[in-house]
Amino acid sequence: NAFGPGLAVKAAQDDPEGFFFTIGQRMVGNGMQTLLSLLIVTSMFAAIVAFHNNVARYFFALGRQGILWQRLGQTHSTRQSPWVACCVQTVL
């Protein structure tokens, strides 16, 4: 609706990266474009943190079972977090 009948496909083909930003700017203003950019950056950060956590937990489990380096299965004495696996994942 933002581009008019039959023009949305052409607009998406002409500018695939900025398609949603253009709609936000047209319908709401420049503030929406800034908000969408911020949401993309924060969602990418959240995805990276989730990926890091998943891989570290796999390392922890494999280390605890003795399949990988057993020190990966060690937890922090106070926080009980898999700190060795997290450090290895960070370095990788």
Side-chain angles (χ1 to χ4, degrees):
N1 288 334
F3 290 102
L7 298 176
V9 173
K10 183 176 178 352
Q13 289 172 341
D14 291 344
D15 186 19
E17 295 89 15
F19 180 69
F20 289 106
F21 295 110
T22 303
I23 292 172
Q25 187 175 9
R26 277 189 186 182
M27 303 305 282
V28 181
N30 288 335
M32 182 58 116
Q33 188 173 7
T34 304
L35 178 64
L36 287 173
S37 297
L38 180 67
L39 289 173
I40 286 174
V41 169
T42 56
S43 66
M44 289 302 295
F45 179 73
I48 290 168
V49 169
F51 178 76
H52 169 82
N53 184 46
N54 285 335
V55 173
R57 293 290 172 170
Y58 273 110
F59 282 164
F60 171 69
L62 292 171
R64 194 177 53 195
Q65 295 295 322
I67 297 170
L68 292 179
W69 183 42
Q70 288 190 350
R71 189 159 159 105
L72 289 171
Q74 182 178 353
T75 58
H76 190 271
S77 60
T78 306
R79 296 181 182 95
Q80 298 301 312
S81 60
W83 72 277
V84 177
C86 286
C87 290
V88 169
Q89 169 58 15
T90 300
V91 170
L92 290 176

